[in-house]
Coordinates of all heavy atoms in Angstrom, one line a residue:
G1 N -72.6 27.0 7.0 CA -73.7 27.3 6.2 C -73.3 28.3 5.1 O -74.2 28.7 4.3
G2 N -72.0 28.7 5.0 CA -71.6 29.6 4.0 C -71.3 28.8 2.6 O -71.7 27.7 2.5
T3 N -70.7 29.6 1.7 CA -70.5 29.0 0.4 C -68.9 29.0 0.1 O -68.3 30.0 0.3 CB -71.2 29.8 -0.7 OG1 -72.6 29.9 -0.4 CG2 -71.0 29.1 -2.1
T4 N -68.3 27.9 -0.3 CA -66.9 27.8 -0.6 C -66.7 27.6 -2.0 O -67.4 26.9 -2.7 CB -66.3 26.6 0.2 OG1 -66.6 26.6 1.6 CG2 -64.8 26.4 0.0
Y5 N -65.6 28.3 -2.4 CA -65.3 28.3 -3.9 C -63.7 28.0 -3.9 O -63.0 28.6 -3.2 CB -65.5 29.6 -4.6 CG -67.0 30.0 -4.6 CD1 -67.4 30.9 -3.5 CD2 -67.8 29.7 -5.6 CE1 -68.8 31.3 -3.5 CE2 -69.2 30.1 -5.6 CZ -69.6 30.9 -4.5 OH -70.9 31.4 -4.5
T6 N -63.3 27.2 -4.9 CA -61.9 27.0 -5.1 C -61.6 27.2 -6.5 O -62.2 26.7 -7.5 CB -61.5 25.5 -4.8 OG1 -61.9 25.2 -3.4 CG2 -60.1 25.3 -4.9
F7 N -60.6 28.0 -6.7 CA -60.0 28.3 -8.1 C -58.5 27.9 -8.2 O -57.8 28.1 -7.2 CB -60.1 29.8 -8.3 CG -61.5 30.3 -8.6 CD1 -62.3 30.7 -7.4 CD2 -62.1 30.4 -9.8 CE1 -63.6 31.1 -7.5 CE2 -63.4 30.9 -9.9 CZ -64.1 31.2 -8.8
W8 N -58.1 27.3 -9.3 CA -56.8 26.9 -9.5 C -56.2 27.7 -10.7 O -56.8 27.9 -11.7 CB -56.7 25.4 -9.8 CG -57.3 24.5 -8.8 CD1 -56.8 24.2 -7.5 CD2 -58.6 23.9 -8.9 NE1 -57.7 23.4 -6.9 CE2 -58.8 23.2 -7.6 CE3 -59.6 23.7 -9.8 CZ2 -59.9 22.4 -7.4 CZ3 -60.7 23.0 -9.6 CH2 -60.9 22.3 -8.4
G9 N -55.0 28.0 -10.6 CA -54.2 28.7 -11.7 C -54.2 30.2 -11.6 O -54.6 30.7 -10.6
K10 N -53.7 30.8 -12.6 CA -53.3 30.2 -13.9 C -52.0 29.4 -13.6 O -51.0 29.9 -13.0 CB -53.1 31.1 -15.0 CG -52.5 30.6 -16.3 CD -52.3 31.6 -17.3 CE -51.8 30.9 -18.6 NZ -51.5 31.9 -19.7
G11 N -51.9 28.2 -14.1 CA -50.7 27.4 -13.8 C -50.7 26.0 -14.5 O -51.7 25.5 -15.0
L12 N -49.5 25.5 -14.5 CA -49.3 24.1 -15.0 C -49.9 23.0 -14.1 O -49.5 23.0 -12.9 CB -47.9 23.8 -15.2 CG -47.6 22.4 -15.8 CD1 -47.9 22.3 -17.2 CD2 -46.1 22.1 -15.6
S13 N -50.7 22.2 -14.5 CA -51.2 21.1 -13.8 C -50.5 19.8 -14.1 O -50.5 19.3 -15.3 CB -52.7 20.8 -14.0 OG -53.2 19.6 -13.5
Q14 N -49.8 19.3 -13.1 CA -49.0 18.1 -13.3 C -49.9 16.9 -13.6 O -49.5 16.2 -14.5 CB -48.2 17.8 -12.0 CG -47.2 18.8 -11.6 CD -46.5 18.4 -10.3 OE1 -45.4 17.9 -10.3 NE2 -47.2 18.7 -9.2
G15 N -50.9 16.7 -12.9 CA -51.8 15.6 -13.1 C -52.4 15.5 -14.4 O -52.5 14.5 -15.0
H16 N -52.9 16.7 -14.8 CA -53.6 16.8 -16.1 C -52.7 16.6 -17.2 O -53.0 16.0 -18.3 CB -54.4 18.1 -16.2 CG -55.7 18.1 -15.3 ND1 -55.6 18.2 -14.0 CD2 -57.0 18.1 -15.7 CE1 -56.9 18.2 -13.5 NE2 -57.7 18.1 -14.5
S17 N -51.5 17.2 -17.1 CA -50.5 17.0 -18.1 C -50.1 15.6 -18.2 O -50.0 15.0 -19.4 CB -49.2 17.9 -17.8 OG -49.6 19.2 -17.7
D18 N -50.0 14.8 -17.1 CA -49.6 13.5 -17.2 C -50.7 12.7 -17.8 O -50.4 11.7 -18.6 CB -49.4 13.0 -15.7 CG -49.0 11.5 -15.7 OD1 -47.9 11.1 -16.2 OD2 -49.8 10.7 -15.1
A19 N -52.0 13.0 -17.5 CA -53.1 12.3 -18.1 C -53.1 12.4 -19.7 O -53.4 11.4 -20.3 CB -54.4 12.8 -17.5
I20 N -52.7 13.6 -20.2 CA -52.7 13.8 -21.6 C -51.5 12.9 -22.2 O -51.7 12.3 -23.3 CB -52.5 15.2 -21.9 CG1 -53.7 16.1 -21.5 CG2 -52.3 15.4 -23.4 CD1 -53.5 17.6 -21.7
R21 N -50.4 12.9 -21.5 CA -49.2 12.1 -22.0 C -49.5 10.7 -22.1 O -48.8 9.9 -22.8 CB -48.0 12.4 -21.1 CG -47.5 13.8 -21.4 CD -46.1 13.9 -20.7 NE -46.2 14.0 -19.3 CZ -46.2 15.1 -18.6 NH1 -46.3 16.3 -19.2 NH2 -46.3 15.0 -17.3
R22 N -50.5 10.2 -21.3 CA -50.8 8.8 -21.4 C -51.8 8.4 -22.6 O -52.0 7.2 -22.8 CB -51.6 8.3 -20.1 CG -50.8 8.6 -18.8 CD -49.5 7.8 -18.8 NE -48.7 8.1 -17.6 CZ -48.6 7.2 -16.5 NH1 -49.2 6.1 -16.6 NH2 -47.9 7.6 -15.5
I23 N -52.2 9.4 -23.3 CA -53.1 9.1 -24.5 C -52.2 8.6 -25.6 O -51.1 9.1 -25.9 CB -53.8 10.4 -24.9 CG1 -54.8 10.8 -23.8 CG2 -54.6 10.2 -26.2 CD1 -55.4 12.2 -24.1
E24 N -52.8 7.6 -26.3 CA -52.1 7.0 -27.4 C -51.8 8.1 -28.5 O -52.7 8.8 -28.9 CB -52.9 5.9 -28.1 CG -52.1 5.2 -29.2 CD -53.0 4.0 -29.7 OE1 -54.0 3.7 -29.2 OE2 -52.5 3.4 -30.8
G25 N -50.5 8.2 -29.0 CA -50.1 9.1 -30.0 C -49.6 10.4 -29.5 O -49.2 11.3 -30.2
V26 N -49.6 10.6 -28.2 CA -49.0 11.8 -27.5 C -47.6 11.6 -27.1 O -47.3 10.7 -26.4 CB -49.9 12.3 -26.3 CG1 -49.2 13.4 -25.6 CG2 -51.3 12.7 -26.7
A27 N -46.7 12.5 -27.6 CA -45.3 12.4 -27.3 C -45.0 13.1 -26.0 O -44.2 12.8 -25.2 CB -44.5 12.8 -28.4
D28 N -45.6 14.3 -25.9 CA -45.5 15.2 -24.7 C -46.6 16.2 -24.6 O -47.3 16.4 -25.6 CB -44.1 16.0 -24.9 CG -43.5 16.4 -23.5 OD1 -44.2 16.3 -22.5 OD2 -42.4 16.8 -23.5
A29 N -46.8 16.8 -23.4 CA -47.9 17.7 -23.3 C -47.8 18.5 -22.0 O -47.1 18.1 -21.1 CB -49.2 16.9 -23.3
R30 N -48.3 19.7 -22.1 CA -48.5 20.5 -20.9 C -49.9 21.0 -20.9 O -50.5 21.4 -21.9 CB -47.5 21.8 -20.9 CG -46.1 21.4 -21.1 CD -45.5 20.8 -19.8 NE -44.0 20.7 -19.9 CZ -43.5 19.6 -20.4 NH1 -44.2 18.6 -21.0 NH2 -42.1 19.6 -20.6
Q31 N -50.5 21.1 -19.6 CA -51.9 21.6 -19.5 C -51.9 22.7 -18.5 O -51.4 22.6 -17.4 CB -52.8 20.5 -19.1 CG -54.3 20.9 -19.1 CD -54.8 21.4 -17.8 OE1 -54.5 20.9 -16.7 NE2 -55.5 22.5 -17.9
Y32 N -52.6 23.8 -18.8 CA -52.7 25.0 -17.9 C -54.2 25.1 -17.5 O -55.1 25.1 -18.3 CB -52.3 26.2 -18.6 CG -50.8 26.2 -19.0 CD1 -50.5 25.9 -20.3 CD2 -49.8 26.6 -18.2 CE1 -49.1 25.8 -20.8 CE2 -48.5 26.5 -18.5 CZ -48.1 26.2 -19.8 OH -46.8 26.2 -20.2
T33 N -54.3 25.3 -16.2 CA -55.7 25.6 -15.6 C -55.8 27.1 -15.5 O -54.9 27.7 -14.9 CB -55.8 24.9 -14.3 OG1 -55.6 23.5 -14.5 CG2 -57.2 25.0 -13.7
I34 N -56.9 27.7 -15.9 CA -57.0 29.1 -15.9 C -58.4 29.5 -15.2 O -59.5 29.1 -15.7 CB -57.0 29.7 -17.4 CG1 -55.7 29.2 -18.0 CG2 -57.1 31.2 -17.3 CD1 -55.7 29.6 -19.5

């Protein structure tokens, strides 16, 4: 019955960086979660 919170970072997200790199016109990318 309590409340759970999850925080990520600050750091590099592999999955989000990969998702950006799949966008047309992107040569490379890094994404940070803060």
Side-chain angles (χ1 to χ4, degrees):
T3 306
T4 302
Y5 303 90
T6 304
F7 291 85
W8 304 285
K10 178 181 180 180
L12 177 76
S13 170
Q14 297 175 99
H16 286 71
S17 298
D18 180 66
I20 297 173
R21 287 192 288 267
R22 302 299 180 105
I23 295 172
E24 183 178 355
V26 173
D28 204 351
R30 303 288 187 276
Q31 187 271 315
Y32 299 95
T33 304
I34 305 168

